[in-house]
Structure formats: structure tokens, C-alpha cells
Amino acid sequence: LPLSAFRIKWDTLLFVLITVQSVTSPYRIAIEYESFGLQLVDLLVDLIFVLDIYLNFKFAFFVDKDGARVVVVDPALISAHYKYSREFACALLACVPLILDLATLNATDSKLIVVVLLRMVRLAFIFRTFETLRLALEGKGVVITQSMFRMLVIIHSIGIIGLIFMGCAYYFLACNPWEPDCVYAEGNATAVVIWPDGDRDVMDIRDPVSRFLRSSYYSMQTLFTIGFGDSVAPVSQAEIIFACLYMYIGEFAYALIIANMTSLMSNTDVIYMRFKQEMDVLNDYMHNRMTPEGMRHRVKDYFEYEYQKQYGMLEDQILSGFSPHLHKEIMAQYMRFLCKVPYFAHAYRPERFIMAAASEMHNRTYTPNATMMYQNEKQRELIVVTRGNAEMFTRSNEQAFSTLLPGDFVGDYQLIFGYPNDFTVRANPAKFVEALVLDFPGLRKATADFDDQVSVSTDDVGARETINMHFQRSERFTLLKESMKKTTSNKKVMAMMEMEIVNNNNFVIEPSSKFHTYWDILKIASLAYLSVMIPERIRLQYGCSRNIDDNGCSSYNDDDGSMWHMDIILDFMVDLLFIVDILLNYKAFAFEEIGEDGRDLLNSNPEAIAERYKKSVRFIIDVAASVPFDIFGIIPAIGRYSLLRLTHLVRIALFPKFLSELQEHLEKGRDISIKGDTLSFVSIIFSSFVIFHWTAVVWSMMHFNGNNYHTSLYWVVTTFTTVGYGDVTPNNDNETGFALLIGFIGAIFAAALVAILTSYVHAIDLSENNVHHQKKVLKRFLGTRGVKAELQEKVALYYEFLENEKKGLDEMKLLKTALPSHLEAEFILFSTHQLVLNVPMFAACDSSFLRALMLSLEPRFYISQEWVVQGREPVEGMFFVGIGSVDITDVKSKKLLLKHAHGAFFGDETIIRRRRKAPVSEEELKPTYAARATTESELWFLDPSDFDQVLRENPKNTLRLDMLAATTEASRGGSERGETGDSTDPSRRFAAAAGAVGQALKGEHKMIIHPLSGAASIWRLVVFGFIMFDVFMIPYRIAFSNGPHDRSILNPSDFSESLYVDFAGDIIFFIDMILRSCVIAYFENDDLIEDRGRIFKHYARSLESKVHFMAFLPIEAVLYPILIDGTRNMISVQLLSVCRVNKLFRLFEVATLVAQLERALADLGLKWSKNGMWVTKVMMAMLLASHIFGCFFFLVARVAHLNGNPNWADGLGVLVECDLGKRAGTCYEEPAGVSIASSAALNASHANGTSVDAPTQNGGDQLAQYIISLYWAVATLTTVGYGDVSANLDNENEIFYCIVTMVVGTFVIYTMVIVNLEEIVAQLDVTQSIFKRISDHVKEYLIVQDVPEEIRRKAENYLDRLWVTQHGIGGTNLLNYLPPSLKCQVVGEMVSDRVRKLFFVKDQHTSFRKLFFSSLGLEHYMPGDFLFMAGEPAVTLFMLVDGSIDLTDESNTTVYTTLDPMSVQGCIGEGEFFSRLSQPCSACVKEAAELYTLEFDVFWRLLEQRRMTTAFRQALAENADALDKASTATLITKLKANLKNNKMAKMMQDNVVEKEAFVVLPSSTFFKVWKCVALIFALFYTIMIPFAVFEYELRFGKHTGDDDADVNRPVELWRIIVDCVGIAFFIVDMGLHLRYFVYKREGALVTKPAEFRNLYIWHGGFFLDLVSNLPLAQIYLLANVDDSRLYFGLSLLQFCRITRIPLYFEVFMTSLEELLGFRISSTGLRRLVFFVPILVVMNHIFACAFYLTGTYSDGEGSSGCEGQGCWDCWLDSEITVPADDDEEAQSGDSGQADIQPISEAPMQIKYLQAFYWALYTLTTTGYGSVALYSTTERFLALVAMVAGGVVCDAGITSILTALLDEKDRQSATNKRR
């Protein structure tokens, strides 16, 4: 059977054997083909696989049948299945080498050895064995996620195919069995023809193991983009071509490792990760709203409890995944609790009703001491306790008078009859309480179908029993309360009741003790000490054993017995500490556990403590790590003390446990909360440090005999970070093997480290809550519906506000989705209580009324400058300002009356007006004021109808409010009678009319600058400019200032101009501090604060002020006397700049300033692509980091130079000689006639570790110095690491500086680049990913349900149309993306003209119409769909906005009429809908239609909510005739009468066919073929135009008159013809686009010629096509036939067509998919496929540019320089070129090599060298084989490295990460559910 024990063991054996043969087969072919032992092993393995072939004819297999997996056991079927499978064919093919080996046993023919490679065909079986192992492990309970399984496969594949196979192939390419004499290049001891020639000092050519290790070593550094570039680098053309192909593979392979590792880290613990993300969102919300600490703790406790119970998912979210039937079955368990309530007892109610009521109950969890029910409030909820217990209180007594236990209930009487609660119910202070809750809407829904059996009247038996039970309970509770009063009077009894006596004489330490905190820190510090000192002491002792004469080794000699120095004493103290820790864990450390009731219990029982500790893994580790083997090391005769202490390092496995314990104890003992991210980050730092340290110790012992630890650490970091300078490399086979192992492990570790940091820094939201997705979908929807630009802009601004200010968090929707109902109510009460209590008329109202009023408020969002109230329209209701600010202006005078901020209100006159007795005229309804939001504002809205409802439920407050209304009316009348002219203050008139409470602007006008004003933006731009100037100039001057810049500070005439800018910047920063402290306003909770006192306090308390103050300190002025030379009064600009380093503190606010400037520019209408801005900012940040690191790298060398120490700059000849006593200004003045670069200096450089062919620079050239330093920094931060500029290995300062730079570059900058690019890629794909997920689910469902093909096609067409119209999101879901206020506006914009004519609704208030708009749904119907059939009840109202609908008879044979949006100005079936009649006809969709719909149930609930049912019935009775005229039946009657008229019937039968213009659709064959041809031409120009620099060397400085004929040789005829044909083709292409080619815009086809012509001209690249088609090169050639030098320069216009390649390539991919019959459905995968040609094209362009820089580099560094290394450019450097066959035959020498400059090599070699350089730069492999000499070359390298690091390296990683994460996220989410 498939998963039997034998099958699992057999497949495990096959997995091992396949792995073995995958190693031995390439090894035999390339390294040791004559090995008889390997041949024998292969024979034995082949025999096992022959047996496997036989067994496969017997092995049963799985087959999918009807969605289930079925095992096939029939022998005939098994045999036939395997016989015709691909696996059988592969197995037979893999057995061919068996026949060869049997035929040539011990005498293998070298020419047939390649046949052995067929054994690797068995790698096709590896996935089957992997799958079997995975299923076996899952069967044993081991959870293996999809990403984890993929990671194992990737590592296995890379380890075998990547390292072993490609390494052997690399050696085979140089020396294969057919050339047995291939050892070294003969006849020339220095010639290097193949890579083994250059590796002769390390590799033993006669040792197969050495050959294998060195070739695998090259494979490792290429695959993981380390690129040491040492002696294994490729040499010959074939090797370079192989290396180029392998670098492509390595780039994608390593990116795949990082991407899969990121997905693995994100989805391994998806349960916790999702819970963590949800809690982070809630924490952000609570932080933004300044939620009280108590509420935060309740929310946190609640979700932690829910995580333990159901992984943090709310019950509604879990149950939503069940079918309705299964949902009811789950709810049925609640019946046993509900039946205990008299009203629902079995004796009085039918089973179906109890089941219906139970289905409406929902589970609710209360945190300890949470209030479940409020006294004297109408809560109308039945609460049944199911777990824990609750206590009952009254306001008069703080002691609980009764307790509710599981099964008890409360609130049944209040639920049924609507009375206030008699008491308060709170959860137990020490327990969580779970309860079932049935609210009043749920009860109404349950009783809807049982009106004849259930009622609330006294005639109902259940109601009577409820009343009786209520009175009995009341009497019992009264007695209990009286008893409690007597009990509370006896203080002694109360004390006895409250006392908890604990008799425990044992010494225990509770988890909340502060002792734990100190103890945990001490343990972590001790563990860090052990992890450092034990390996370090081993290294020192090993070094001493190799260097006996070293005087410093006496303390570390194991044999002398003098071991008692300080670190040994510390060792024993640490051991003692951990022994004490064992004792404490065994006896004293109490622990918490969860009891059966769900609460935390403190267990201090010594026996339980000891038992728990002994059963833990920690106990085993502690005992194993505490065995004192090292005591024997103290004995001189034994020695080896440090080696015997290695067992103590086992305790490092407990480091994560120590950290988690510290986090827990800090939270419990000191109330300090540490995020899980911080804990993970600390763990990552520690593990990285330990691994780096241990590896450096081993390398130091192997490579440096235990010395040079700093250099060893440097090598480790260069390897782990994949920088790979190559200045420290293996020297023998042992070191090569270790480097191979560390390279493999280090690359995987570095990938994991980057993945962990990426997954924690950034989490992609691929749900419909994604802000970018919603914004994109709504943009398409609104744009295609013709919605007003003003409203579209409003929606866009709303989402920009969410994205920029709220980090994508929609707080209004969060409460509905992330919190249970009772916590949601608690948050609403917190958010609104202060707003309501600020209103004077609510001041004396009771708490029940206020609570209900607060819960009835509706949040509304308004963008800046949006009208809330306009004077020409009545005010909808009362508004409370929650967040933001609102200006109140007079309607007539337009003057500002009030400026409302948080806590203010307006519109309360609408509430008061409804309490008046007198009628209100229409003129009185119009306000005398207008309200406008001045910032993005959140207002809470009170609807007058909701207010009336609350008042009806709390009638005690009615009288007071009616009196207030009468008083206000009398006051208003009096003020109106007393008004004369303009004597009345406008603010008082507003207060009298509106009744609003606010504070008028008082005092004199103060100059306050709005933070979003233009003045503030300009000022930020100025500050930003000076910050960037300081960031650039201060490090630059510190590192490079010399010569002319070293002037006297007392001589203004010689003062450096840049220093004036410095001091101007200081003044600007000082003014900025003043402005921020008292002039520039700020936002607090989105409220604009303009009070100067508050502005000053806010600024003074902020971190900004501290940073600004530190940056402003004039240190240079304070230290001026010290800096001045006493004899010459001179001050160095360099020292002055050092004193100005504090100005760089301002760098921390650059990100904030950039964001503010982007927003200011956006407000001005200057918007750029956000993705483009992200990429630009990432690249600029990388360059800025490179600038800073590069400057200080040069400074380190400069300081070493001045002190006479070796440094990298001296090795490259960048600095001249300088005596220690000279001033800095003279150190860089180049003496005349002194040669800077010399062969001796270069040799010294090589000895110190710098690379071969190190170029030289003029010591006085600051630009060259800066470019070299920047070049090193970029090469390091992008992990390119050429190695031609690297740290001097004798300078520890340089080495440690490089280590820091590499760590920061790889694990900070590179990670942030990936995070940002991943965000870009994810946002590009998120909408299509969501649509693909939806469509896949639909298609899978249709297949499983065996739906007919016709319906499947219809569903697919529906989804396609949905994608085109609104990106695949259903209309109703799409509208729900918007907040209610914006949704009303959008829907109202589209259907308001119909609603104005709609019965009943047209006569209602604006507030009702807005609710009506919110109730509408949006649906799409495809041709052939029926809206309704004749005879059906009219339960749905339809509003047609797009498409057409046929009204037909019952048989659907006669079409009465066709309705379209123009003909239907109202609604379809209006009369039938409101009159509750049946449909008189059928409605069939003719053309795809879009309709707004309204269900009658929804409409009726709306009427009930507004208490308008009576008014609606009255309107029905009064307008029966009008409804009849608006009915469809009347329309059909008229149409039937018209049909009787023959003339009319004939007119209806005539079809007028309008001739459509001929167009070419994108799906047509001609269009696809045309675009494929265009792709060929575009690629031709892209490749050939840059390549022209190789064919025509455009460097005028290197050609004299004798070479003019060669330079101006004519252009080939074929090239002219191809260019002319290409231009003619693209001119025709422009004509086709103007007349025939349909334009596709955002997925929608524009088929009208006039429209798509206009779109092509203004949006489709017409002008780009026009410019690229200008035949300037051909015209120039006609005019200057003999001068062809500018022909290719003018042809660069054609190069502009490269921007069209993505479009052409997309059409090509679609055509190829149709031709081959498959489709790449994933957008990420398509983008990855497209990335391959992009990388090739980029590589080609940079290669050509690199060649061009070489041709234009004249004379740089050549003055006074002789010998190797003194070349002008890379083209002048020498390479070994094999002699041609003809030359070899003439000379008679075989294998002779020719050493010559690259410039004199054949064209293909020059291009290959340039291409090779460009590729290892772009892929960040960075061999450094092609040396750079000129500043121009290094500058191009800077550009290439940044482009490669950001676009290629991080770009590919980001695409793969988004692709894999999308694939794994859904499966991981399902596991949580």
C-alpha cells in the first residue's frame, strides 16, 4: 500500500541512493572516471533500482475519484499504470549505464563515460520520495508546511545540482577525459589558459579530492553570489561563457532561497503570526485613540484568552466558514442552556422555535471584572453563563449579593418586556466568563415565523412564567441584599470572608518577583560569556601550541598548571551560577498554570515544581551542560582545560527560553511589555554573533595557526554576507573544504536572517482589506461609470489619508471586524462619552439614556474642505467633532463664526426642533450657518430618528428635553423680535439659531502657520536642503579636505565658500527651532492645535526638540580656542567639520520631511508614481549610505597614513608620502616628479592582501579619491565586493570598519530594499491575486459539482466581465469598501435621478434617502439571465444603469420592449414592488447589464428602523393610482395595444443595422503576429545599437589621420536595409494604431476609432513612436556618404523603442501560451519570466557602456608609471589568448598561449570580457576578474552596482517572495481555521 511501513522505508532508501548517485555520477565523469570502486558502487545501486522497477509493478497507487483519494490494488491496473508511465521510461533510460559498466568492468572507455550521466535521470523520482516522506511525517503528527517542504527540496536540489554537478561541469570544461594531457599550459610557466593553470598553487592536479573541492568551491561562490574572484575564477572563453550562464542560475537560485525562506518564516507559525498582526492593528488603533490603560489590558487579556481557546479567531469568523446546515447543528448545542429559561422551556415552546432562538445566540467572553450588565439600563439581552462565574451588585452596596454559576441566566424578563436592569452583573475578578447572549433583534428574528405560537402578552404561558420567575427572583435577591447589609456591618466577619489563609512554609519565588528579572539578565550575560570565552580560549591555546616562543602564551599553556587567572575564576563562577539555577528551578521557582475554569493558578507546591522541571527538556540540557569534565583539565598531567569545557556550550540551546522568560518576568514583575519582534531581533543578533565568532575561531586555527582573529572574523563576514572580497582565500584542501561548507551554510543562514528581518519588518496584506487593492478597484469602478471628477478625487483623497496618515488602517471598519460586539460597544462608549457629556442639554440625563445615545452615534469621515452642512439644505442631525476641525461660517456674510475642534458640536437645533409643539416652516429648516471640515475629520452623527428611539426607550428624560425645546423656542422668538439692523453680534445670532456650544476666537490675531500650508512646505524644503548639504559635506570634508580648503579662519578673503553655507544652515536650523516651538501648529489626534503654549510644551517634550538641540550645539565655537594653533592662528577645515558632526543628528528627520514634502506636492497637483518614488528613494538612500560609509572608509585610511600605519589607500597609491609631523594641508600636495604608483607599492599591496592588478591614482586628485571610496562602499553595501579595493589586512581598524559596513549593508540596507520592493510587487499583484483566488474557487466548485459546460462558460464570462469593469470584485462588496458617507454619495451620484421620481422615497428627508442609498446593492447580469419570471412576487426593485433588458411574455417568445438606461428613467417594476404584487412579465438580460437592487425585506427594516411603516401604508393608500401607472403591468398593457397596430408591429420587427467601423481586436491573429514582429525589430535595435560601439570605436582621441579610413568605413548595406525596413514597419504601425488597432485601457476595450485614436495620441505613446521613427541617421548618411561616424549616434533615436518591449513581450507570451496550450496564470510568475530578458538586456547595455568607457579613458594614471598595473583603462590590461590552430601548426608548438592587451584581442573576446564584467556586477557576484583603472570606469561600476543590487538582486528576490508568499498564505490560513 502507498503509505505502508515498507513503502516508506523503501522510498527513504531510494532517496538516499538517488542522492548518492547524483554525486558520484558527475564526479566519475569529470574528476575520476577510472575509479573502479565508484564503478562498483554504481553497479550495486543500479541493481537496487532494477529491483525497484519490479516492485513498481506491484505497488498500489492513489487515484482521485469524485474528489476523494482511492487506492488502486488491482494487479492488472497497477501493471498497466506503471508500464505506460513516464517514470517507467525514465527508469529504463537510467539503467543504460548499468549495461555499459557490465560490458567494460574495470576498463571504462573515456569516450563513453558521459553515458554515466544518464543515471541522474533518476532525479525525477526525488519528488516522489520527498512526497512520501512528507506524508509519512504528517501521518505521525509532524506538521510540514508547503513552504517548509519546498525549502527542503530547494536546498537538496541546490546542494546536488548547483554545487556538485555544476562544479564538476566547470572542471570538466577545463580538463575532460578526452584530453588526458591537460595539466598546465606548457611552454609558459606564467601563462594562464584555463582556470586550473591559475590555481596551481592551491590545487593538486593529481589528487581527485583536491580537484573536486576546488571546482565545488568555485560553484559555491558563484551560486550564492559570493564571488571571491580568487584563483578558481574562469579564464578561457568557454569558462567565461559557462560562468555567465551559471551566474544567471545563481542569481535566481539564491533569490529563490531568500524568497522561500521569507515565506517560510511568515507562514511557519501562521497561527501566531496572524494573531500577532491582528493584535498589532488593534494596538495601533488603541495608541492612536489614546485608549486608557485599563481598556488596553482588557482587550489584550481577552484576545490572549481567545488565542488559547481558538487561536484568536472570533466566533463569527469561524462559523462563517460553515454551511448553514452545519451552522445550525453547532448552534443546537446551545438549546440545553436556553431550555432552562422559562420563556423557552420545552413545556411551552415547540422544538423548532427553541432551535431558531438558539441559532440567534452568540458566544461572548468577558474579561475578569468586566461589566456584563448595567443597572437601570435597557440592555435587552438574555445572558446565560456557560463557563466561569459572575457576580451581582447594586449601586448601594459594593459587595456582591449573589453569584451566577454555569447554567444560570439573567435578563430574560428585561429582554422580553423591555424593562431596565435591576442590578449590575460583573465577571469574577479572577476568572474569564463565557456566556451565551440573545439580544432583542435576534429574538424578533426567531419569533418572526412563530407569531401564532409565541407572544409577549400575559396570555402566553411562557411570558406568564417569566413574570412569575422574575418576581420570585426579585424577592430572593431582596433578602440576599438585606443579609449582605447586616454582614457588611460586622467588619470582623467581612475581614474573615476576604482573608485567604495560605499555610506554606516553603521558600518559593513567584513569577511576579523582581528577583526573576535580575536573575534572567545574569543568566543571559553568563551564557554570552561562555559562548565567547570557551572557543576563544581554545583558539589562544592552539595558537600558543604553534608559537611556543610567544611570551604571551604562558598563561594559556595547558601543561604548566598555572591556570588560575581571572577568566578561569569567572568560568567557575558562571558554573556555580547555573548550578544554583538548577536548584532554584527544582525547588523554588513557582509557576502558573491554567485551571479547569480557564483562570491562571499559581502552583507553589515543591513537589509539583520539581516534577515539572524534571520532565522538561531544559532539565536534561542543564544536567548535560553542568557535568564538570573541565575539572580534570586543571590537572597538569591531563591538560586540555578549554576543550573539556565544550560541553558547557550545550546550554546555548536554552537562549531563546531565557529570553522568553525575561519577557514574561518583565511584564509580570515590572509591567514592562516587550514586543515579540524585539525578542526575535535580539535572538537573531545573538545567534549571528555566536556563529560568526565560532566560525572565525575555526578559520583562525586553520588559516592563521590560531592568530589574526580579526582577519578571520573579516573573512567570515565577507562569506556570510556574500560580499566576498577575495583578499582572504583558502590555501589548501582542508581550508577549501571548510570554506565550501561555510559558504553553503553561511549563504543559507544569511538568507534566513534576511528573511526573518523581512518577515518581521513587513507583512503583506493580500486580503480585500488591502488599501491599495481597494483604491485600485474603486478607481476603475468610478472611472468607467462616469462619476464626477470631484467625487472621484474625494474617494482618492480618503484612501490617501488612510495610507499616509493611518498606515492603511480603516478605524471605522476595524471595530466592526476585529472586536466582539461587547468590546466594540465599550470602544464606542470611550470614543463618544466626552463628546456627549459636553452638551449642556444632556448634562442631567440618566446614565441609561446617555449610554444608549452614545451607542446610537454613527461615525462619518470628511476630507479636508468638504462641506458638512450647507446653508441651502436642511441639517440632517446633530454632529459631534471627534477628530479634526470644522469651521462654522455665516451663510450670508461668509464670515467665520466659530472654529470647532475635538469635543465641540453643532446641529443640535434639529434635535430640539423635533420636541417643539409648533409646526416648522421650510424656511426655518434651512440653517443660517454652514459647516466645513478644515482637515480630514471624523464626526459622530446623531440621527433625529435614532434620538427619538432612544428617548422612547428612556421616557424619564422626555419632559426635561421638551421644556428645553420650549425655552429655546421662546428665547428664539424674543431674540428675533428684538433684532434691529446689524447691532446683534453674529456669533450670538448663530448661537441662538443653532444652539451650538463652542468658543469664539478671542484676543488679538497671532501669527500661527498651519502645518499643511504652503509656507510650512516651503520652509521644510529649505530645511531639507540644508540637512542634505550637511549630510553630504560634513563627511566629505572630514575625509577629503586638503590643500585649498585649509585656510585661516581669521582671513575672510580666503574663507571657503562652503563654510558660509554651513553657517547659513546653522541660522536656518535655529530659526526652525523657534518656528516649531511657537509658530507652526501641530495635529494632536488629528485636531489642529494653534495655542502657542501648547505648541511650546508639545515641542519641548518631543524627541524632535532634543535632536534639534543636539544638532544646533555650536561645538566648533566652544572648541575654537583649542583648535587654534598658538603660533599661526590657523584652524583646519577638517577639524572644523569634525566639530560639526552633531549636525548629522538632523538626518533622523529626513524621512518625515520627505513624506511631508510629497504630501505638499500632491496637494499642489504634482503627483508621481508611488512605486517609482519608492524605487527612487531606495536607490537614493543606498547612495547616501554609500557616501557616508565611503567617506569614513577613506578617513580610516587617512588617519593610518598620518600615523605611518599600513592602509588600503597607500596600497593603491591614492595617498602620497606624508611625515607625521607635517600639517594635514601639505600631506596631499603632490611633489613634482614623484611617481605615486609604482610596481613596488603594488607588490606590497599584494602582500598585504589587496587584489592583483590594483590600479593607481594621483594622490592630489580629490575626485578620484572620492570615487574610489564611494566605489568601495557601493560594492560592499550591494554585496558585489570586487575586492580590488578592500581593507588592508594589517590594519585592524579598517578590518573592523569593513565588518560593520558589511553587516549593515547586508542585514539592514539590503533587507529594507527587499521590503520596499516586495511592497511594490505585492501591491502590483494584490488585486489580480485576489481575483485569481476567487475565480479559482468558483471554477473548482463548478468542476466538483459537475456543472454543465454551458453554465461553466457563462460563469467564466461573468468573471471576465467583472474583471474588466471593476477588477473582479462584486458590486455590493465593492461599495462596502467605502465608508457610509462616501458610499451614499457615490450611489446617490449614480441613481439620484431615479430616486427623485421613486414613490414614497422622493418625498422623504435627505437623511432617509442616504439610508436608502446605503441599502442598495449592485449586481451584474450576463446575457440570458432573468431578473424575474412572470408570476413571481415582486420582492426586488431594479434600477438599470448599464446594458439592456427585454420584457417578454411567460413563454419568452414575444418581446414586448427592450429597456435601456435612457428609456428607463425610473425603476423596473416600481408599482409591483411597493404594492406587493406579482410580476406581469419576464425580464431577460439582452446585453450585459448592471443594476442597483433593493430587497423588500431590507426596505421594510429601514422603515421599521425609522418608524415610518404607518406613513408608508398611508402613502400606498393615497397614491394607488400613481403606483398603478408606474407599474410594469400598465406598460405591458400599452405595449400590447400598440402591437395590435400592424404598422407599429412592422416597425418593431424592422431591424436597423448600423454599419460598424472595421477594427482589429487584441485577440485577433493579425494583431498578435504584428506585435511579435514589432518585438523582433525592437529587440534588434536594443541589441545592435549599443553593440555598435564595439564595431565602430567612437574615440577620436585614439585615432589619428592614418586611421580615418578605418574609423569612417562605410556602414554595411544589410544594416541600412534593416534600419529602413524597421522604420517603414513602425510608421505603418503608427497608422494601424491611429485607425484600426483597438486600445485597451485598464483592461477595458475602447472600440470606437475616434476614442482609441485620441487615447493613443495622448496616452498610448504616439509622440514616443514619432520621435523613434525620425530617419535622421539615414538622412545624415545620404548627405555624408563618406562619414559614417555619427550614423549610429543618430540611430539612438530608435533605441527609444525599448520602452515598448514590455507591451510587445506581453502579447508574445499570450500568443505562445495559446500556441502551446498552457497559461501562466500567476502574475508574479509572468513578471519573473519577463525579468529574464530584462536582465539580459541590462547586461548587454552595461557591457557596451563599459567598453565605451574604456575607449574614452585617455592617459589617466599613466604619468611616470611603468610596468604592470599602470594602464589607462581596462582595455589596456593583459589577458592570455590561446593561439589559433593555424599559428600552432606553423610554429609546431601545441598549447602555446599569447599574452596581449584586451584591446588587441578579437572582437568576441572583448565583448565577452565586457559582458562577463557587467553580469557579475549586476548579479552582485563580483569576481573582480576585470580590473578597473579609471575614474570613469569606477563611476559606471557605481551605477551598475546600484542598478544590479536594487533592480536585479533585490528585485528578483521581491518578485519570488511575493509569488511564494501568495501561494503559501491561503493554505496556512486554512490550517488556522
Side-chain angles (χ1 to χ4, degrees), residues 789-823:
E790 179 184 354
L791 187 53
Q792 293 188 46
E793 182 68 16
K794 189 182 294 185
V795 173
L797 289 173
Y798 168 72
Y799 277 98
E800 286 183 10
F801 170 74
L802 287 184
E803 186 177 359
N804 298 329
E805 303 297 331
K806 299 296 182 182
K807 300 179 182 179
L809 177 64
D810 190 343
E811 297 178 351
M812 296 184 182
K813 295 180 181 177
L814 178 68
L815 297 179
K816 300 290 183 184
T817 57
L819 292 174
S821 56
H822 62 292
L823 285 181

Side-chain angles (χ1 to χ4, degrees), residues 439-544:
D439 54 19
F440 188 67
L443 176 64
R444 290 182 57 186
K445 187 176 179 180
T447 57
D449 297 330
F450 301 92
D451 291 338
D452 55 339
Q453 304 176 39
V454 179
S455 70
V456 295
S457 65
T458 53
D459 297 333
D460 184 84
V461 181
R464 287 202 306 271
E465 190 63 26
T466 300
I467 295 172
N468 295 334
M469 177 68 74
H470 171 68
F471 284 117
Q472 293 175 12
R473 252 194 329 247
S474 299
E475 292 177 1
R476 187 171 70 252
F477 288 162
T478 301
L479 294 175
L480 285 172
K481 285 185 280 187
E482 291 297 328
S483 175
M484 286 298 300
K485 287 181 181 180
K486 295 178 181 178
T487 305
T488 52
S489 62
N490 190 335
K491 295 183 179 180
K492 184 177 180 180
V493 174
M494 287 301 300
M496 291 176 62
M497 292 177 62
E498 293 178 356
M499 186 181 300
E500 181 180 358
I501 302 175
V502 179
N503 294 317
N504 191 351
N505 297 324
N506 298 302
F507 171 71
V508 294
I509 300 175
E510 296 184 0
S512 59
S513 172
K514 294 182 179 180
F515 171 80
H516 275 291
T517 304
Y518 301 112
W519 188 251
D520 290 338
I521 295 174
L522 197 58
K523 285 190 299 183
I524 292 173
S526 301
L527 190 59
Y529 170 80
L530 287 179
S531 63
V532 172
M533 284 306 300
I534 292 176
E536 176 64 11
R537 193 180 294 111
I538 292 175
R539 181 188 70 82
L540 291 173
Q541 290 178 353
Y542 181 84
C544 290

Side-chain angles (χ1 to χ4, degrees), residues 343-371:
Y343 189 78
F344 301 97
H346 278 294
Y348 315 126
R349 305 300 180 206
E351 185 80 13
R352 287 178 54 249
F353 170 70
I354 302 174
M355 180 66 187
S359 300
E360 296 301 323
M361 301 186 79
H362 52 274
N363 207 338
R364 190 180 288 177
T365 301
Y366 294 93
T367 56
N369 210 32
T371 303

Side-chain angles (χ1 to χ4, degrees), residues 649-931:
L649 294 179
V650 176
R651 194 173 269 111
I652 285 183
L654 296 176
F655 181 77
K657 179 69 175 175
F658 290 168
L659 276 182
S660 62
E661 286 177 352
L662 178 61
Q663 179 193 30
E664 178 184 353
H665 295 147
L666 281 173
E667 187 169 353
K668 291 182 178 179
R670 297 179 178 274
D671 199 24
I672 299 174
S673 179
I674 299 178
K675 291 185 178 180
D677 294 354
T678 306
L679 214 64
S680 300
F681 181 75
V682 173
S683 182
I684 290 168
I685 295 298
F686 179 79
S687 58
S688 304
F689 171 74
V690 169
I691 293 174
F692 285 2
H693 173 63
W694 290 2
T695 310
V697 165
V698 176
W699 182 256
S700 173
M701 294 165 63
M702 295 181 68
H703 193 78
F704 297 108
N705 289 328
N707 300 316
N708 293 353
Y709 171 80
H710 57 281
T711 308
S712 301
L713 182 63
Y714 170 73
W715 175 82
V716 170
V717 175
T718 59
T719 304
F720 270 72
T721 58
T722 73
V723 175
Y725 287 126
D727 44 2
V728 181
T729 54
N731 292 332
N732 54 51
D733 292 343
N734 292 333
E735 293 177 9
T736 301
F738 182 74
L740 179 62
L741 177 65
I742 292 303
F744 184 82
I745 296 175
I748 302 297
F749 177 80
L753 199 57
V754 172
I756 291 171
L757 293 174
T758 302
S759 62
Y760 278 105
V761 171
H762 175 65
I764 305 173
D765 182 13
L766 292 179
S767 68
E768 291 192 46
N769 294 325
N770 186 288
V771 173
H772 298 277
H773 160 71
Q774 294 185 0
K775 184 178 179 180
K776 185 176 181 180
V777 171
L778 285 167
K779 181 180 178 182
R780 165 73 63 83
F781 174 77
L782 299 175
T784 55
R785 297 325 188 268
V787 176
K788 288 188 302 185
E790 179 184 354
L791 187 53
Q792 293 188 46
E793 182 68 16
K794 189 182 294 185
V795 173
L797 289 173
Y798 168 72
Y799 277 98
E800 286 183 10
F801 170 74
L802 287 184
E803 186 177 359
N804 298 329
E805 303 297 331
K806 299 296 182 182
K807 300 179 182 179
L809 177 64
D810 190 343
E811 297 178 351
M812 296 184 182
K813 295 180 181 177
L814 178 68
L815 297 179
K816 300 290 183 184
T817 57
L819 292 174
S821 56
H822 62 292
L823 285 181
E824 176 192 348
E826 194 169 346
F827 269 94
I828 293 176
L829 292 174
F830 165 74
S831 301
T832 59
H833 75 281
Q834 195 61 48
L835 305 178
V836 173
L837 294 178
N838 282 345
V839 182
M841 67 178 176
F842 298 146
C845 295
D846 58 63
S847 62
S848 175
F849 170 81
L850 294 176
R851 185 174 188 275
L853 187 68
M854 294 172 194
L855 293 177
S856 66
L857 297 180
E858 171 198 346
R860 291 188 178 184
F861 176 83
Y862 293 89
I863 65 172
S864 178
Q865 303 306 314
E866 181 179 359
W867 289 105
V868 181
V869 175
Q870 290 181 300
R872 60 179 181 272
E873 296 180 0
V875 185
E876 301 176 47
M878 186 175 179
F879 293 89
F880 302 84
V881 181
I883 295 176
S885 60
V886 178
D887 283 351
I888 306 296
T889 57
D890 184 77
V891 173
K892 296 180 180 179
S893 63
K894 308 298 182 183
K895 292 182 179 179
L896 178 66
L897 301 176
L898 295 172
K899 184 179 278 293
H900 279 329
H902 173 73
F905 61 91
F906 58 93
D908 50 331
E909 73 276 7
T910 58
I911 303 298
I912 297 175
R913 188 183 294 127
R914 295 176 72 92
R915 312 308 308 164
R916 294 177 186 166
K917 307 298 182 183
V920 181
S921 64
E922 292 185 5
E923 198 62 32
E924 287 181 313
L925 291 175
K926 295 181 180 180
T928 59
Y929 64 94

